[in-house]
């Protein structure tokens, strides 16, 4: 493949809509849940990002695994009272819409230093998450990866029967 053909293929991917590249099967957490529930959802799902949703389904922000892990370093007594919305304070959510281009999302990610963005549907509700890995996979020609629907926890719930992620050999709590 010539260099010109590669550049043309990359431009085609960057011109796609975010909705065509993003991952729509995401685990979410309710804005009023505890930090421990957020950690449990991250651990059991194996995700690196956790969208936070309001009761009306609108996105309040995106938590990163590292932020939740740092918060979990607090004494256990305070963790049972710490809420997810406390981790979002001071972070205005950087969002993209499903109809915007991947190029726009890349520009937003570059400008903000984010490696993932919540994606909103036309009605303002969370439609999915676009990660840097999703963009790289699209540039490499890989299809959008989705988790089976029966493996996805619903917002704000902890499912005791949800198996740990594959290859996990540790404890679920820090």
């Amino acid at each position: 493949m010539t260099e010109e053909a590669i550049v043309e293929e990359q431009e085609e991917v960057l011109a796609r809509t975010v909705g065509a590249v993003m991952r729509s099967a995401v685990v979410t957490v309710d804005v009023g849940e505890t930090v421990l529930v957020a950690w449990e959802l991250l651990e059991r799902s194996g995700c690196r990002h956790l969208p936070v949703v309001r009761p009306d389904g609108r996105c309040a922000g995106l938590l990163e695994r590292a932020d939740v892990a740092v918060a979990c370093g607090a004494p256990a007594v305070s963790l049972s009272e710490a809420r997810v919305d406390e981790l979002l304070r001071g972070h205005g959510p950087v969002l993209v819409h499903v109809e915007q281009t991947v190029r726009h999302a890349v520009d937003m990610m570059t400008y903000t230093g984010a490696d993932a963005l919540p994606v909103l549907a036309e009605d303002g509700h969370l439609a999915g998450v676009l990660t840097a890995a999703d963009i790289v996979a699209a540039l490499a020609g890989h299809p959008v990866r989705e988790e089976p629907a029966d493996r996805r926890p619903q917002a704000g719930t902890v499912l005791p029967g949800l198996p740990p992620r594959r290859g996990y050999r540790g404890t679920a709590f820090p």
Side-chain angles (χ1 to χ4, degrees):
M1 186 177 261
T2 68
E3 189 173 321
E4 190 175 289
I6 293 171
V7 170
E8 187 176 307
E9 193 173 301
Q10 289 173 345
E11 288 298 321
E12 179 186 316
V13 169
L14 293 174
R16 289 185 197 164
T17 64
V18 168
V21 177
M22 72 174 192
R23 192 171 311 184
S24 60
V26 294
V27 175
T28 63
V29 67
D30 188 84
V31 73
E33 281 292 355
T34 66
V35 172
L36 286 176
V37 168
W39 179 255
E40 182 74 9
L41 289 170
L42 284 166
E43 278 298 299
R44 289 180 178 227
S45 68
C47 296
R48 290 183 31 212
H49 305 92
L50 187 62
V52 180
V53 293
R54 295 186 175 98
D56 65 359
R58 296 187 183 276
C59 185
L62 188 71
L63 292 178
E64 293 190 25
R65 176 182 278 281
D67 294 335
V68 178
V70 167
C72 285
V77 173
S78 65
L79 277 181
S80 63
E81 297 173 2
R83 300 282 171 218
V84 167
D85 63 336
E86 295 171 16
L87 297 180
L88 293 176
R89 290 193 183 138
H91 297 337
V94 179
L95 310 164
V96 292
H97 295 270
V98 291
E99 70 277 354
Q100 290 178 310
T101 65
V102 172
R103 178 179 298 284
H104 175 76
V106 168
D107 290 342
M108 293 294 294
M109 292 168 99
T110 302
Y111 179 74
T112 62
D115 64 348
L117 299 173
V119 181
L120 301 183
E122 291 178 17
D123 63 359
H125 288 83
L126 183 71
V129 173
L130 178 72
T131 67
D134 296 333
I135 296 169
V136 169
L139 288 168
H142 298 288
V144 175
R145 191 178 69 184
E146 295 290 345
E147 291 292 319
D150 61 343
R151 294 258 343 250
R152 295 181 296 163
Q154 297 301 312
T157 61
V158 176
L159 301 177
L162 185 67
R165 65 178 184 249
R166 284 183 224 143
Y168 185 71
R169 298 194 192 298
T171 177
F173 295 99

